[in-house]
Amino acid sequence: MTIEITNESGVTVDERKLLRLTEHNLAQLHVSPDAEVAILLVDEGAMESLHVQWMDEPGPTDVLSFPMDELRPGTADLPTPAGLLGDIVLCPQVAEVQAEQAGHSTLDELLLLTTHGLLHLLGFDHAEPDEEREMFGLQRDLLLSFHTAERRHRS
């Protein structure tokens, strides 16, 4: 599995934890170990430019996803084939504000946003209530299983 993380945000981020989270999530979703994904962390100015260019919305946002090969989650018997999942773009400065509002750390917010972005790469959406329930439920389950695995790993 190729996971490339590039931090151009000017904010120090635990990239190893983002990597472990992405590896965990891809394994849980039965995505081929030969799949590729890129995670880019950018500052507010760069994120605002992308937000305007691709979503036609003003201001910086927290996460954007750019799917490439339109891969979908697999199963234990039939994993997702190898391919290019796409890019997840995160803005740590926006994540920091949201983390304060939510009462958790910026890293926890970035883990949530990375998981959210990955689910978008795999075709999930939250435009309709039933889609939102499915996507946010899976997002919660993935984060809980990751935190459980991390606690076991430290023990």
Side-chain angles (χ1 to χ4, degrees):
M1 186 167 316
T2 304
I3 301 167
E4 183 180 312
I5 300 176
T6 306
N7 189 349
E8 300 175 355
S9 71
V11 175
T12 301
V13 172
D14 186 346
E15 294 173 28
R16 290 183 315 244
K17 197 159 190 175
L18 288 180
L19 177 65
R20 288 193 309 273
L21 169 81
T22 305
E23 290 170 339
H24 172 85
N25 288 347
L26 291 173
Q28 293 294 307
L29 295 166
H30 305 287
V31 174
S32 168
D34 295 324
E36 298 178 42
V37 64
I39 300 172
L40 176 63
L41 296 103
V42 299
D43 65 20
E44 291 166 299
M47 183 58 101
E48 181 173 13
S49 294
L50 290 169
H51 200 208
V52 169
Q53 179 181 357
W54 295 101
M55 305 299 289
D56 200 26
E57 293 185 25
T61 190
D62 51 5
V63 60
L64 290 170
S65 297
F66 298 96
M68 300 294 182
D69 288 344
E70 297 187 15
L71 301 175
R72 299 296 177 254
T75 64
D77 295 333
L78 188 61
T80 300
L84 184 58
L85 278 172
D87 300 334
I88 300 168
V89 183
L90 303 168
C91 184
Q93 291 89 341
V94 173
E96 182 178 10
V97 171
Q98 292 176 177
E100 286 176 20
Q101 294 169 345
H104 56 235
S105 72
T106 301
L107 180 58
D108 282 339
E109 186 71 13
L110 287 169
L111 295 174
L112 182 148
L113 294 172
T114 300
T115 301
H116 188 87
L118 181 65
L119 290 174
H120 276 306
L121 292 183
L122 289 165
F124 289 90
D125 202 358
H126 46 84
E128 300 296 325
D130 57 331
E131 293 173 334
E132 182 176 334
R133 275 190 301 279
E134 178 185 17
M135 182 176 177
F136 283 59
L138 182 53
Q139 179 177 288
R140 183 189 61 248
D141 292 347
L142 289 168
L143 287 165
L144 286 171
S145 68
F146 173 71
H147 288 303
T148 299
E150 286 283 292
R151 278 192 297 275
R152 266 192 243 127
H153 178 72
R154 279 186 262 144
S155 302

